[in-house]
Amino acid sequence: MAKKIGEILIELGYITDEQLQRALKIQEEEGFSRRLGEILEEMTLEENELLEALSIQFNIPVVDDKAFPPELPIERVSYEFLKNNVIFPISLEDNTLVVAISEPQALDVLEALESSLGYNIKPVLARKDLILKHLESTFASREATMKRVIEDVEEDLTLETYEEVDHLKDLAHEKGIIKLVNLIIENAVRDRASDIHIEPEEGYLRVRYRIDGVLYEKETLPIRMHPAVTSRIKLMASINIAERRLPQDGRIEGRFAEKEIDIRVSTIPTVHGEGIVMRLLDRESSFITLENLGFDEELLRIYNRLIHQPYGMILITGPTGSGKSTTLYASLDRINSPEKKIITIEEPVEYIMRGINQINVRPKIGLTFASGLRHIVRQDPDIIMVGEIRDQETASIAIHAALTGHLLFSTLHTNDAPGAITRLIDMGVENYLVSSTLIGVVAQRLVRRICPYCKYSYNVAEELREEFSLEETTLWRGKGCKECATTGYRGRIAIFELLTINDEIRQMIMDKATSGEIREKAIEMGMRTLREDGIIKAKKGITTLDEVLRVTQVEVS
């Protein structure tokens, strides 16, 4: 620093030399327990004048009220930390976080912030009252609302343990509990969550959201709220409140965060009490067309030709949560027309489709995939969709339906496309029947998309370029911003492995070839593997190499 603060203030004309000497004397008498600027403000100085001098002294710009955003650009800092240190993150751009401070002494705090967040910190000066005002208004929305609701519920609850059904029903109808559960669901919808996990632990109740396939802890509630929260959700889902020893399923339909949401509720007894998972389905925006799933032009052309065949079986494979149902719905939507009768049997029906007859499986009354499929073939359908082939009976009826002139879609849980062939045979379906009916298998996974708001390029390590035969020297990833909750990802896209059953593959099925042998032949004939499709998407800047390796690690040796 070239000049001291007192000298700058004198040059600016905001104080006299006499006032400076008096302030220095007070500071000395008080044992230098207060800063000079604070004493001068008490005497004569305006805060704006002190800020201007500090700006000159430390070469830090001053910002006004207009610079403050309505929401924080990052989420990984608490209200208490920001308020105690009187700082406010203003913007995040190109890995640089602009933070408003009221005094240069906060620069030490910014160094700690830079170390923990990994951003470059750029300080700006602002009045203390401005920073506190915007902190209060910003956190008054979500975090403060949740805190207030939790406090209200705690006041309503007593230390009594509720066991009787009448007491549980009373709890479920308390205004505070109704508001708390609704707020949890609404926050999940706003965060684009696909699932809400409510899990009792020893001493607390944990609330987590699954966003783009990854779980994030969002709330920690007192454990004594557990009976009230679970009772409320079970009441909304028409589940037996008194039954806490057995798993139960239910469904909630309602409007949350200005969206029509279907919620599939599943409860399970754990050592600490009932755990609940809620699967959220947005009826307004969840449907995706084939073009938006992730097929490139060539794969889409081949798959489009498959689904327009008059008969045969098409299987979609992958683990739970890999987007199989979405691909099925997009396929049916593409081939749906007034000239065709399409019937589906699902568990449950996730999206209502106009012009299609959809059936919900109801095992309790004997309506299973197998029994339902047996009746569907008598309804003169052109196209049939079976939610999942789980057993030999369903597989046999499905094969028979495909043999008798129907186009049939279904799903299997296998690691790759060739694995679907051996899975059917392992279920007891004769290999000649599989060879005669199967026309195509799609294996898929979901990878997270790079957030478009904080996307940047980086140099790829030489060993990775060699390992994956990359010609590119740069790839893409996300820094993390408020739009993606600092994850670097926003949304998901599918990667595919499409196996078309031609004469050579049919002969291999007849010869009882292993899935590995079929896989080798398919690759030799041009089949693109899941990992290869993922790497292509990483090269295009759609996803990251890390994501591709994460979801394809299991099935690639």
Side-chain angles (χ1 to χ4, degrees), residues 162-176:
Y162 290 94
E163 296 289 342
E164 295 182 14
V165 175
D166 288 342
H167 285 159
L168 292 172
K169 285 181 178 177
D170 290 342
L171 276 177
H173 285 101
E174 289 284 348
K175 286 184 180 179

Side-chain angles (χ1 to χ4, degrees), residues 107-157:
L107 290 171
D108 292 338
V109 177
L110 298 189
E111 286 181 12
L113 198 64
E114 188 174 52
S115 176
S116 64
L117 296 178
Y119 300 126
N120 298 318
I121 304 291
K122 178 185 175 182
V124 292
L125 287 168
R127 294 200 328 265
K128 183 176 181 179
D129 62 329
L130 267 186
I131 292 175
L132 293 175
K133 181 188 83 171
H134 284 281
L135 278 176
E136 188 174 348
S137 63
T138 300
F139 281 87
S141 53
R142 179 162 172 166
E143 188 173 310
T145 300
M146 178 62 78
K147 190 174 180 180
R148 279 199 307 272
V149 170
I150 291 171
E151 287 172 354
D152 290 344
V153 172
E154 282 194 288
E155 286 181 8
D156 293 337
L157 295 178

Side-chain angles (χ1 to χ4, degrees), residues 168-186 189 196 198 227-242 248-257 259 261-267 276-280:
L168 292 172
K169 285 181 178 177
D170 290 342
L171 276 177
H173 285 101
E174 289 284 348
K175 286 184 180 179
I177 285 295
I178 293 172
K179 192 170 182 180
L180 175 61
V181 171
N182 285 349
L183 190 58
I184 289 171
I185 297 172
E186 286 172 0
V189 172
I196 303 170
I198 297 177
V229 171
T230 54
S231 297
R232 177 61 195 168
I233 294 170
K234 289 166 78 174
L235 190 69
M236 292 170 73
S238 300
I239 292 174
N240 184 357
I241 290 179
Q248 297 186 81
D249 296 311
R251 191 165 187 166
I252 301 169
E253 295 181 4
R255 191 166 183 83
F256 301 93
K259 292 185 177 182
I261 305 294
D262 281 345
I263 305 173
R264 285 153 50 185
V265 179
S266 173
T267 72
I276 294 180
V277 173
M278 294 187 278
R279 167 64 57 88
L280 309 180

Side-chain angles (χ1 to χ4, degrees), residues 47 68 86 104 113 122 157 160 204 214 349 404 456 498 523:
E47 188 177 4
F68 289 82
V86 197
L113 198 64
K122 178 185 175 182
L157 295 178
E160 179 184 356
Y204 65 95
V214 178
V349 172
T404 53
Y456 73 99
L498 175 56
I523 292 172

Side-chain angles (χ1 to χ4, degrees), residues 313 315 389 391-393 395-396 399 412 414 417-438 501 505-515 517-518:
M313 177 186 286
L315 295 175
I389 295 177
D391 50 45
Q392 193 272 336
E393 185 182 9
S396 296
I399 289 284
L412 278 175
T414 63
I421 296 168
T422 51
R423 177 62 59 84
L424 284 175
I425 294 171
D426 289 344
M427 281 181 173
V429 180
E430 294 291 344
N431 58 317
Y432 71 88
L433 290 175
V434 176
S435 174
S436 302
T437 57
L438 194 62
I501 311 300
I505 300 294
R506 283 196 177 88
Q507 188 58 51
M508 292 184 76
I509 298 171
M510 290 294 292
D511 295 339
K512 298 183 179 179
T514 65
S515 62
E517 291 168 340
I518 294 172

